[in-house]
Amino acid sequence: VLQDLPQLMPEITQDPLKQRTIYQAHVPAAGIFQCCITGLGFKVKSAVTITYRYTSWTQNLSKADQELWVPAGPLFNIKVQPEVVQAVYLPHFICLAEAADTSLCAIAHFKSGIMALERPTSLVAFSAVLENPSFSLLGVLWRRLRSTLRSFPAHSLVLIFQQLSAANTTLHLYLIPDDNSVKQAIEKQESDWNSKVIPKASPFNPLFFGCDYWVTSNISVEITPEPRLPFCYKSPKEQQPFLELYIKNMAEEMELHMMDKRSDTVVWKASLRAGDVNLPGHFSRTSSEGATFIKMHKAELCCRMRQIPTILLHLRDANVINSDEEEEVQAQKTSQSKNRLLLKMVEKKGVGAQEQLYRILQEKDPFLISHLE
């Protein structure tokens, strides 16, 4: 959802009581800026601080309105000083390359639980632009047409996770619209289930809500509950549908395909190689040198680890932490509290994660490692 706009990194805080993440962007001057995490953009006439968070469509869109409208992007709760924002850029996942009927697009504006609909000033790739907005809850909707079998064309993501504590190779495969609020919710859930992400490309065709897509493989795979996935929008607060793929004997390489059976076309494919997954016994074969070091020097590391943003980036690239966990660490107020939380996370994830952190520290802060050793 990121466009060619100046990017802002917001301050991130956690509200543990209500289990939600709050973003605060300090816009430095007049101009157009975009949050590099959520894709939410603003055109402002002066410096300003904007506070925003994701919220739930299902908690705000009435049952009757859900019959008429389908979400086409995240719903945001936005708070800002009045009359400073000249335009808001609300992220959407509508594929405009497919000549979608943009007259069916609207921006929902909730005040005191009542929804008003506004026409976007313009609809561009990945954003619906609304000029001179007022703020509360804002998000992009698409009108349902009962006369058509297909909904609007949408950008989508396929997310694959391996359950590290499950027998042999067990994967979870999700098909979701390209909505960062939904993606973050899935990453958090899978992290709680002790899973790691296996990054793969997105579908190369736009998909359509209300349609089913079928998953097949070139090797023997047990797919539960069935190899069919509906493409639909579910709020981040809801359990997202997924397929469980059980592979008794993981080969050197396997192919996964997703089919649109109405047109008999492949809309997505990916190769899973032995290096993508942790095979049974992987962690038991891993040297424990790094884990021993982390455990022995935990107190010193808590005080002396530096370059936390770089370390977090490398840990995320290595699939040790997810984006939600990275944000949670960055949200801590002091470097020591960031280090403490990161070490706690890595310790909970086991020997393999501690080895990764040790190797990153060897590369990024060799003097610290040498001194402690």
Side-chain angles (χ1 to χ4, degrees), residues 188-218:
K188 185 178 187 309
Q189 177 68 84
E190 287 291 340
S191 175
D192 292 342
W193 290 344
N194 191 29
S195 301
K196 78 157 195 172
V197 67
I198 302 176
K200 293 299 173 184
S202 304
F204 38 77
N205 286 347
L207 305 186
F208 292 85
F209 281 169
C211 297
D212 292 335
Y213 296 91
W214 297 76
V215 176
T216 60
S217 173
N218 65 330

PDB file of all heavy atoms in Angstrom, residues 188-218:
ATOM      1  N   LYS A 188       0.303 -12.069  14.682  1.00  0.00           N
ATOM      2  CA  LYS A 188       0.270 -12.171  16.152  1.00  0.00           C
ATOM      3  C   LYS A 188      -0.288 -13.520  16.591  1.00  0.00           C
ATOM      4  O   LYS A 188       0.244 -14.165  17.500  1.00  0.00           O
ATOM      5  CB  LYS A 188      -0.558 -11.040  16.741  1.00  0.00           C
ATOM      6  CG  LYS A 188      -0.533 -11.017  18.269  1.00  0.00           C
ATOM      7  CD  LYS A 188      -1.311  -9.859  18.833  1.00  0.00           C
ATOM      8  CE  LYS A 188      -1.129  -9.758  20.357  1.00  0.00           C
ATOM      9  NZ  LYS A 188      -1.370 -11.025  21.057  1.00  0.00           N
ATOM     10  N   GLN A 189      -1.382 -13.952  15.938  1.00  0.00           N
ATOM     11  CA  GLN A 189      -1.984 -15.232  16.294  1.00  0.00           C
ATOM     12  C   GLN A 189      -0.998 -16.374  16.069  1.00  0.00           C
ATOM     13  O   GLN A 189      -0.812 -17.249  16.925  1.00  0.00           O
ATOM     14  CB  GLN A 189      -3.248 -15.464  15.456  1.00  0.00           C
ATOM     15  CG  GLN A 189      -3.927 -16.804  15.674  1.00  0.00           C
ATOM     16  CD  GLN A 189      -4.547 -16.929  17.043  1.00  0.00           C
ATOM     17  OE1 GLN A 189      -5.656 -16.478  17.257  1.00  0.00           O
ATOM     18  NE2 GLN A 189      -3.833 -17.543  17.980  1.00  0.00           N
ATOM     19  N   GLU A 190      -0.325 -16.373  14.917  1.00  0.00           N
ATOM     20  CA  GLU A 190       0.608 -17.451  14.603  1.00  0.00           C
ATOM     21  C   GLU A 190       1.824 -17.428  15.532  1.00  0.00           C
ATOM     22  O   GLU A 190       2.370 -18.481  15.879  1.00  0.00           O
ATOM     23  CB  GLU A 190       1.046 -17.352  13.136  1.00  0.00           C
ATOM     24  CG  GLU A 190      -0.032 -17.760  12.137  1.00  0.00           C
ATOM     25  CD  GLU A 190      -0.333 -19.250  12.162  1.00  0.00           C
ATOM     26  OE1 GLU A 190       0.509 -20.032  12.656  1.00  0.00           O
ATOM     27  OE2 GLU A 190      -1.416 -19.646  11.692  1.00  0.00           O
ATOM     28  N   SER A 191       2.235 -16.228  15.929  1.00  0.00           N
ATOM     29  CA  SER A 191       3.343 -16.136  16.885  1.00  0.00           C
ATOM     30  C   SER A 191       2.945 -16.786  18.214  1.00  0.00           C
ATOM     31  O   SER A 191       3.738 -17.502  18.833  1.00  0.00           O
ATOM     32  CB  SER A 191       3.722 -14.674  17.102  1.00  0.00           C
ATOM     33  OG  SER A 191       4.703 -14.551  18.103  1.00  0.00           O
ATOM     34  N   ASP A 192       1.704 -16.561  18.635  1.00  0.00           N
ATOM     35  CA  ASP A 192       1.207 -17.181  19.869  1.00  0.00           C
ATOM     36  C   ASP A 192       1.160 -18.705  19.736  1.00  0.00           C
ATOM     37  O   ASP A 192       1.236 -19.423  20.738  1.00  0.00           O
ATOM     38  CB  ASP A 192      -0.188 -16.649  20.216  1.00  0.00           C
ATOM     39  CG  ASP A 192      -0.163 -15.173  20.616  1.00  0.00           C
ATOM     40  OD1 ASP A 192       0.926 -14.669  20.948  1.00  0.00           O
ATOM     41  OD2 ASP A 192      -1.232 -14.538  20.589  1.00  0.00           O
ATOM     42  N   TRP A 193       0.995 -19.193  18.514  1.00  0.00           N
ATOM     43  CA  TRP A 193       0.950 -20.639  18.254  1.00  0.00           C
ATOM     44  C   TRP A 193       2.343 -21.225  18.009  1.00  0.00           C
ATOM     45  O   TRP A 193       2.467 -22.362  17.576  1.00  0.00           O
ATOM     46  CB  TRP A 193       0.053 -20.931  17.055  1.00  0.00           C
ATOM     47  CG  TRP A 193      -1.398 -20.697  17.303  1.00  0.00           C
ATOM     48  CD1 TRP A 193      -2.028 -20.554  18.500  1.00  0.00           C
ATOM     49  CD2 TRP A 193      -2.434 -20.560  16.309  1.00  0.00           C
ATOM     50  NE1 TRP A 193      -3.371 -20.350  18.317  1.00  0.00           N
ATOM     51  CE2 TRP A 193      -3.664 -20.348  16.986  1.00  0.00           C
ATOM     52  CE3 TRP A 193      -2.453 -20.603  14.925  1.00  0.00           C
ATOM     53  CZ2 TRP A 193      -4.871 -20.178  16.327  1.00  0.00           C
ATOM     54  CZ3 TRP A 193      -3.657 -20.433  14.253  1.00  0.00           C
ATOM     55  CH2 TRP A 193      -4.861 -20.232  14.945  1.00  0.00           C
ATOM     56  N   ASN A 194       3.385 -20.432  18.229  1.00  0.00           N
ATOM     57  CA  ASN A 194       4.771 -20.878  18.008  1.00  0.00           C
ATOM     58  C   ASN A 194       4.993 -21.268  16.544  1.00  0.00           C
ATOM     59  O   ASN A 194       5.461 -22.362  16.238  1.00  0.00           O
ATOM     60  CB  ASN A 194       5.123 -22.054  18.932  1.00  0.00           C
ATOM     61  CG  ASN A 194       6.612 -22.356  18.917  1.00  0.00           C
ATOM     62  OD1 ASN A 194       7.429 -21.465  18.700  1.00  0.00           O
ATOM     63  ND2 ASN A 194       6.964 -23.610  19.130  1.00  0.00           N
ATOM     64  N   SER A 195       4.670 -20.344  15.649  1.00  0.00           N
ATOM     65  CA  SER A 195       4.866 -20.559  14.222  1.00  0.00           C
ATOM     66  C   SER A 195       5.876 -19.568  13.680  1.00  0.00           C
ATOM     67  O   SER A 195       6.104 -18.508  14.270  1.00  0.00           O
ATOM     68  CB  SER A 195       3.541 -20.382  13.461  1.00  0.00           C
ATOM     69  OG  SER A 195       2.563 -21.274  13.924  1.00  0.00           O
ATOM     70  N   LYS A 196       6.463 -19.888  12.548  1.00  0.00           N
ATOM     71  CA  LYS A 196       7.330 -18.942  11.839  1.00  0.00           C
ATOM     72  C   LYS A 196       6.773 -18.726  10.445  1.00  0.00           C
ATOM     73  O   LYS A 196       6.190 -19.626   9.822  1.00  0.00           O
ATOM     74  CB  LYS A 196       8.768 -19.454  11.772  1.00  0.00           C
ATOM     75  CG  LYS A 196       9.009 -20.537  10.726  1.00  0.00           C
ATOM     76  CD  LYS A 196      10.486 -20.598  10.333  1.00  0.00           C
ATOM     77  CE  LYS A 196      10.674 -21.409   9.053  1.00  0.00           C
ATOM     78  NZ  LYS A 196      12.034 -21.337   8.525  1.00  0.00           N
ATOM     79  N   VAL A 197       6.940 -17.514   9.927  1.00  0.00           N
ATOM     80  CA  VAL A 197       6.442 -17.184   8.607  1.00  0.00           C
ATOM     81  C   VAL A 197       7.404 -17.711   7.553  1.00  0.00           C
ATOM     82  O   VAL A 197       8.624 -17.754   7.760  1.00  0.00           O
ATOM     83  CB  VAL A 197       6.241 -15.660   8.458  1.00  0.00           C
ATOM     84  CG1 VAL A 197       7.580 -14.926   8.498  1.00  0.00           C
ATOM     85  CG2 VAL A 197       5.494 -15.327   7.167  1.00  0.00           C
ATOM     86  N   ILE A 198       6.856 -18.146   6.419  1.00  0.00           N
ATOM     87  CA  ILE A 198       7.647 -18.542   5.246  1.00  0.00           C
ATOM     88  C   ILE A 198       7.297 -17.562   4.139  1.00  0.00           C
ATOM     89  O   ILE A 198       6.239 -17.671   3.521  1.00  0.00           O
ATOM     90  CB  ILE A 198       7.335 -19.989   4.820  1.00  0.00           C
ATOM     91  CG1 ILE A 198       7.612 -20.952   5.977  1.00  0.00           C
ATOM     92  CG2 ILE A 198       8.158 -20.378   3.595  1.00  0.00           C
ATOM     93  CD1 ILE A 198       7.234 -22.398   5.692  1.00  0.00           C
ATOM     94  N   PRO A 199       8.132 -16.545   3.901  1.00  0.00           N
ATOM     95  CA  PRO A 199       7.754 -15.491   2.938  1.00  0.00           C
ATOM     96  C   PRO A 199       7.668 -16.032   1.515  1.00  0.00           C
ATOM     97  O   PRO A 199       8.589 -16.691   1.033  1.00  0.00           O
ATOM     98  CB  PRO A 199       8.904 -14.471   3.070  1.00  0.00           C
ATOM     99  CG  PRO A 199       9.646 -14.847   4.317  1.00  0.00           C
ATOM    100  CD  PRO A 199       9.441 -16.309   4.511  1.00  0.00           C
ATOM    101  N   LYS A 200       6.564 -15.731   0.850  1.00  0.00           N
ATOM    102  CA  LYS A 200       6.375 -16.093  -0.550  1.00  0.00           C
ATOM    103  C   LYS A 200       5.647 -14.952  -1.257  1.00  0.00           C
ATOM    104  O   LYS A 200       5.063 -14.085  -0.628  1.00  0.00           O
ATOM    105  CB  LYS A 200       5.572 -17.398  -0.684  1.00  0.00           C
ATOM    106  CG  LYS A 200       6.318 -18.633  -0.167  1.00  0.00           C
ATOM    107  CD  LYS A 200       7.607 -18.896  -0.933  1.00  0.00           C
ATOM    108  CE  LYS A 200       8.434 -20.004  -0.320  1.00  0.00           C
ATOM    109  NZ  LYS A 200       9.737 -20.194  -1.019  1.00  0.00           N
ATOM    110  N   ALA A 201       5.687 -14.981  -2.588  1.00  0.00           N
ATOM    111  CA  ALA A 201       5.103 -13.905  -3.391  1.00  0.00           C
ATOM    112  C   ALA A 201       3.582 -13.900  -3.281  1.00  0.00           C
ATOM    113  O   ALA A 201       2.955 -14.885  -2.870  1.00  0.00           O
ATOM    114  CB  ALA A 201       5.526 -14.055  -4.848  1.00  0.00           C
ATOM    115  N   SER A 202       2.987 -12.776  -3.690  1.00  0.00           N
ATOM    116  CA  SER A 202       1.523 -12.621  -3.693  1.00  0.00           C
ATOM    117  C   SER A 202       0.941 -13.228  -4.970  1.00  0.00           C
ATOM    118  O   SER A 202       1.673 -13.500  -5.929  1.00  0.00           O
ATOM    119  CB  SER A 202       1.164 -11.135  -3.631  1.00  0.00           C
ATOM    120  OG  SER A 202       1.750 -10.532  -2.513  1.00  0.00           O
ATOM    121  N   PRO A 203      -0.387 -13.463  -5.011  1.00  0.00           N
ATOM    122  CA  PRO A 203      -1.019 -13.879  -6.265  1.00  0.00           C
ATOM    123  C   PRO A 203      -0.709 -12.902  -7.394  1.00  0.00           C
ATOM    124  O   PRO A 203      -0.619 -11.700  -7.175  1.00  0.00           O
ATOM    125  CB  PRO A 203      -2.512 -13.881  -5.914  1.00  0.00           C
ATOM    126  CG  PRO A 203      -2.539 -14.162  -4.447  1.00  0.00           C
ATOM    127  CD  PRO A 203      -1.345 -13.447  -3.891  1.00  0.00           C
ATOM    128  N   PHE A 204      -0.533 -13.446  -8.603  1.00  0.00           N
ATOM    129  CA  PHE A 204      -0.177 -12.579  -9.720  1.00  0.00           C
ATOM    130  C   PHE A 204      -1.375 -12.145 -10.537  1.00  0.00           C
ATOM    131  O   PHE A 204      -1.228 -11.436 -11.531  1.00  0.00           O
ATOM    132  CB  PHE A 204       0.877 -13.239 -10.628  1.00  0.00           C
ATOM    133  CG  PHE A 204       0.704 -14.719 -10.824  1.00  0.00           C
ATOM    134  CD1 PHE A 204      -0.251 -15.223 -11.684  1.00  0.00           C
ATOM    135  CD2 PHE A 204       1.517 -15.612 -10.128  1.00  0.00           C
ATOM    136  CE1 PHE A 204      -0.394 -16.586 -11.867  1.00  0.00           C
ATOM    137  CE2 PHE A 204       1.375 -16.981 -10.304  1.00  0.00           C
ATOM    138  CZ  PHE A 204       0.428 -17.480 -11.173  1.00  0.00           C
ATOM    139  N   ASN A 205      -2.589 -12.545 -10.145  1.00  0.00           N
ATOM    140  CA  ASN A 205      -3.825 -12.040 -10.737  1.00  0.00           C
ATOM    141  C   ASN A 205      -4.670 -11.408  -9.632  1.00  0.00           C
ATOM    142  O   ASN A 205      -4.601 -11.843  -8.485  1.00  0.00           O
ATOM    143  CB  ASN A 205      -4.642 -13.172 -11.381  1.00  0.00           C
ATOM    144  CG  ASN A 205      -4.033 -13.651 -12.675  1.00  0.00           C
ATOM    145  OD1 ASN A 205      -3.148 -13.010 -13.229  1.00  0.00           O
ATOM    146  ND2 ASN A 205      -4.486 -14.793 -13.156  1.00  0.00           N
ATOM    147  N   PRO A 206      -5.467 -10.390  -9.951  1.00  0.00           N
ATOM    148  CA  PRO A 206      -6.424  -9.914  -8.938  1.00  0.00           C
ATOM    149  C   PRO A 206      -7.447 -11.005  -8.641  1.00  0.00           C
ATOM    150  O   PRO A 206      -7.815 -11.791  -9.516  1.00  0.00           O
ATOM    151  CB  PRO A 206      -7.071  -8.695  -9.615  1.00  0.00           C
ATOM    152  CG  PRO A 206      -6.878  -8.915 -11.072  1.00  0.00           C
ATOM    153  CD  PRO A 206      -5.590  -9.653 -11.223  1.00  0.00           C
ATOM    154  N   LEU A 207      -7.890 -11.063  -7.395  1.00  0.00           N
ATOM    155  CA  LEU A 207      -8.893 -12.046  -6.989  1.00  0.00           C
ATOM    156  C   LEU A 207     -10.210 -11.338  -6.707  1.00  0.00           C
ATOM    157  O   LEU A 207     -10.264 -10.110  -6.621  1.00  0.00           O
ATOM    158  CB  LEU A 207      -8.413 -12.803  -5.749  1.00  0.00           C
ATOM    159  CG  LEU A 207      -7.047 -13.496  -5.863  1.00  0.00           C
ATOM    160  CD1 LEU A 207      -6.762 -14.322  -4.612  1.00  0.00           C
ATOM    161  CD2 LEU A 207      -6.958 -14.368  -7.104  1.00  0.00           C
ATOM    162  N   PHE A 208     -11.280 -12.129  -6.545  1.00  0.00           N
ATOM    163  CA  PHE A 208     -12.611 -11.562  -6.394  1.00  0.00           C
ATOM    164  C   PHE A 208     -13.279 -12.119  -5.143  1.00  0.00           C
ATOM    165  O   PHE A 208     -13.312 -13.335  -4.929  1.00  0.00           O
ATOM    166  CB  PHE A 208     -13.470 -11.873  -7.629  1.00  0.00           C
ATOM    167  CG  PHE A 208     -13.001 -11.173  -8.875  1.00  0.00           C
ATOM    168  CD1 PHE A 208     -12.005 -11.723  -9.663  1.00  0.00           C
ATOM    169  CD2 PHE A 208     -13.546  -9.946  -9.246  1.00  0.00           C
ATOM    170  CE1 PHE A 208     -11.561 -11.066 -10.808  1.00  0.00           C
ATOM    171  CE2 PHE A 208     -13.101  -9.295 -10.383  1.00  0.00           C
ATOM    172  CZ  PHE A 208     -12.108  -9.851 -11.165  1.00  0.00           C
ATOM    173  N   PHE A 209     -13.815 -11.209  -4.315  1.00  0.00           N
ATOM    174  CA  PHE A 209     -14.535 -11.629  -3.114  1.00  0.00           C
ATOM    175  C   PHE A 209     -15.719 -12.521  -3.498  1.00  0.00           C
ATOM    176  O   PHE A 209     -16.392 -12.292  -4.504  1.00  0.00           O
ATOM    177  CB  PHE A 209     -15.056 -10.414  -2.350  1.00  0.00           C
ATOM    178  CG  PHE A 209     -14.010  -9.718  -1.524  1.00  0.00           C
ATOM    179  CD1 PHE A 209     -14.263  -8.484  -0.963  1.00  0.00           C
ATOM    180  CD2 PHE A 209     -12.784 -10.293  -1.287  1.00  0.00           C
ATOM    181  CE1 PHE A 209     -13.311  -7.830  -0.186  1.00  0.00           C
ATOM    182  CE2 PHE A 209     -11.816  -9.655  -0.516  1.00  0.00           C
ATOM    183  CZ  PHE A 209     -12.086  -8.428   0.030  1.00  0.00           C
ATOM    184  N   GLY A 210     -15.972 -13.492  -2.642  1.00  0.00           N
ATOM    185  CA  GLY A 210     -17.090 -14.402  -2.892  1.00  0.00           C
ATOM    186  C   GLY A 210     -16.710 -15.594  -3.741  1.00  0.00           C
ATOM    187  O   GLY A 210     -17.520 -16.511  -3.909  1.00  0.00           O
ATOM    188  N   CYS A 211     -15.495 -15.616  -4.271  1.00  0.00           N
ATOM    189  CA  CYS A 211     -15.049 -16.740  -5.093  1.00  0.00           C
ATOM    190  C   CYS A 211     -14.181 -17.692  -4.267  1.00  0.00           C
ATOM    191  O   CYS A 211     -13.538 -17.277  -3.305  1.00  0.00           O
ATOM    192  CB  CYS A 211     -14.258 -16.242  -6.305  1.00  0.00           C
ATOM    193  SG  CYS A 211     -15.242 -15.212  -7.419  1.00  0.00           S
ATOM    194  N   ASP A 212     -14.174 -18.958  -4.672  1.00  0.00           N
ATOM    195  CA  ASP A 212     -13.362 -19.971  -4.005  1.00  0.00           C
ATOM    196  C   ASP A 212     -12.120 -20.258  -4.846  1.00  0.00           C
ATOM    197  O   ASP A 212     -12.172 -20.268  -6.078  1.00  0.00           O
ATOM    198  CB  ASP A 212     -14.153 -21.270  -3.824  1.00  0.00           C
ATOM    199  CG  ASP A 212     -15.292 -21.117  -2.841  1.00  0.00           C
ATOM    200  OD1 ASP A 212     -15.200 -20.231  -1.969  1.00  0.00           O
ATOM    201  OD2 ASP A 212     -16.274 -21.874  -2.937  1.00  0.00           O
ATOM    202  N   TYR A 213     -11.009 -20.511  -4.146  1.00  0.00           N
ATOM    203  CA  TYR A 213      -9.747 -20.834  -4.813  1.00  0.00           C
ATOM    204  C   TYR A 213      -9.208 -22.132  -4.212  1.00  0.00           C
ATOM    205  O   TYR A 213      -9.295 -22.355  -3.007  1.00  0.00           O
ATOM    206  CB  TYR A 213      -8.761 -19.673  -4.659  1.00  0.00           C
ATOM    207  CG  TYR A 213      -9.268 -18.427  -5.368  1.00  0.00           C
ATOM    208  CD1 TYR A 213     -10.051 -17.497  -4.696  1.00  0.00           C
ATOM    209  CD2 TYR A 213      -9.012 -18.220  -6.712  1.00  0.00           C
ATOM    210  CE1 TYR A 213     -10.561 -16.370  -5.346  1.00  0.00           C
ATOM    211  CE2 TYR A 213      -9.509 -17.094  -7.375  1.00  0.00           C
ATOM    212  CZ  TYR A 213     -10.281 -16.175  -6.683  1.00  0.00           C
ATOM    213  OH  TYR A 213     -10.789 -15.073  -7.341  1.00  0.00           O
ATOM    214  N   TRP A 214      -8.654 -22.990  -5.095  1.00  0.00           N
ATOM    215  CA  TRP A 214      -8.283 -24.349  -4.717  1.00  0.00           C
ATOM    216  C   TRP A 214      -6.764 -24.493  -4.680  1.00  0.00           C
ATOM    217  O   TRP A 214      -6.060 -24.022  -5.566  1.00  0.00           O
ATOM    218  CB  TRP A 214      -8.884 -25.347  -5.704  1.00  0.00           C
ATOM    219  CG  TRP A 214     -10.382 -25.326  -5.681  1.00  0.00           C
ATOM    220  CD1 TRP A 214     -11.208 -24.388  -6.228  1.00  0.00           C
ATOM    221  CD2 TRP A 214     -11.235 -26.272  -5.044  1.00  0.00           C
ATOM    222  NE1 TRP A 214     -12.516 -24.679  -5.973  1.00  0.00           N
ATOM    223  CE2 TRP A 214     -12.579 -25.834  -5.256  1.00  0.00           C
ATOM    224  CE3 TRP A 214     -11.014 -27.443  -4.325  1.00  0.00           C
ATOM    225  CZ2 TRP A 214     -13.666 -26.540  -4.771  1.00  0.00           C
ATOM    226  CZ3 TRP A 214     -12.102 -28.146  -3.846  1.00  0.00           C
ATOM    227  CH2 TRP A 214     -13.410 -27.688  -4.067  1.00  0.00           C
ATOM    228  N   VAL A 215      -6.276 -25.167  -3.641  1.00  0.00           N
ATOM    229  CA  VAL A 215      -4.835 -25.347  -3.440  1.00  0.00           C
ATOM    230  C   VAL A 215      -4.457 -26.789  -3.768  1.00  0.00           C
ATOM    231  O   VAL A 215      -5.096 -27.737  -3.300  1.00  0.00           O
ATOM    232  CB  VAL A 215      -4.442 -25.009  -1.986  1.00  0.00           C
ATOM    233  CG1 VAL A 215      -2.959 -25.297  -1.751  1.00  0.00           C
ATOM    234  CG2 VAL A 215      -4.751 -23.548  -1.681  1.00  0.00           C
ATOM    235  N   THR A 216      -3.419 -26.943  -4.592  1.00  0.00           N
ATOM    236  CA  THR A 216      -2.921 -28.271  -4.957  1.00  0.00           C
ATOM    237  C   THR A 216      -1.402 -28.296  -4.790  1.00  0.00           C
ATOM    238  O   THR A 216      -0.755 -27.256  -4.681  1.00  0.00           O
ATOM    239  CB  THR A 216      -3.278 -28.622  -6.417  1.00  0.00           C
ATOM    240  OG1 THR A 216      -2.679 -27.639  -7.282  1.00  0.00           O
ATOM    241  CG2 THR A 216      -4.780 -28.628  -6.636  1.00  0.00           C
ATOM    242  N   SER A 217      -0.849 -29.522  -4.789  1.00  0.00           N
ATOM    243  CA  SER A 217       0.596 -29.685  -4.649  1.00  0.00           C
ATOM    244  C   SER A 217       1.060 -30.820  -5.547  1.00  0.00           C
ATOM    245  O   SER A 217       0.270 -31.697  -5.926  1.00  0.00           O
ATOM    246  CB  SER A 217       0.962 -29.987  -3.193  1.00  0.00           C
ATOM    247  OG  SER A 217       2.332 -30.295  -3.087  1.00  0.00           O
ATOM    248  N   ASN A 218       2.350 -30.795  -5.864  1.00  0.00           N
ATOM    249  CA  ASN A 218       2.912 -31.854  -6.710  1.00  0.00           C
ATOM    250  C   ASN A 218       3.361 -33.063  -5.894  1.00  0.00           C
ATOM    251  O   ASN A 218       3.807 -34.056  -6.456  1.00  0.00           O
ATOM    252  CB  ASN A 218       4.099 -31.315  -7.523  1.00  0.00           C
ATOM    253  CG  ASN A 218       5.267 -30.905  -6.621  1.00  0.00           C
ATOM    254  OD1 ASN A 218       5.066 -30.500  -5.481  1.00  0.00           O
ATOM    255  ND2 ASN A 218       6.487 -31.024  -7.134  1.00  0.00           N
TER     256      ASN A 218
END
